[in-house]
Amino acid sequence: WLTELGINATDTQMLFDLLDDGDGEVDRDEFVTGLLKLKSEARAQDLLPVATNCQRILAHCKTLRDTVDTIAASMSPAASQQLTVS
């Protein structure tokens, strides 16, 4: 039935997560509204928050990578030698 509407329902958990408003249940209104959103084409105003969140996540990942690199550099063999001698 959903396939006839052009909605891929093979991953039921993902479909549920897309339709659910966070309360762990999908009521009739959530189901209908969610299917309409899934069926309609994405507009620029729909994608802007997604793109903004992706940029924020990328910035956090870069900061995390820099922090891990700094920690790894401080744990180099020379740094380990200094800790053992002290």
Side-chain angles (χ1 to χ4, degrees), residues 77-86:
S80 296
Q81 289 285 336
Q82 290 176 348
L83 290 175
T84 307
V85 172
S86 300

Side-chain angles (χ1 to χ4, degrees), residues 9-54:
T10 55
D11 188 346
T12 55
Q13 184 62 49
M14 181 182 288
L15 180 60
F16 179 86
D17 292 341
L18 290 171
L19 298 176
D20 183 29
D21 64 2
D23 64 358
E25 298 177 0
V26 176
D27 62 26
R28 182 185 50 177
D29 291 335
E30 286 175 315
F31 184 77
V32 172
T33 303
L35 289 182
L36 289 173
K37 286 182 180 179
L38 288 173
K39 184 70 179 141
S40 67
E41 293 185 26
R43 299 173 296 188
Q45 69 185 30
D46 297 329
L47 296 177
L48 185 60
V50 174
T52 301
N53 283 336
C54 287

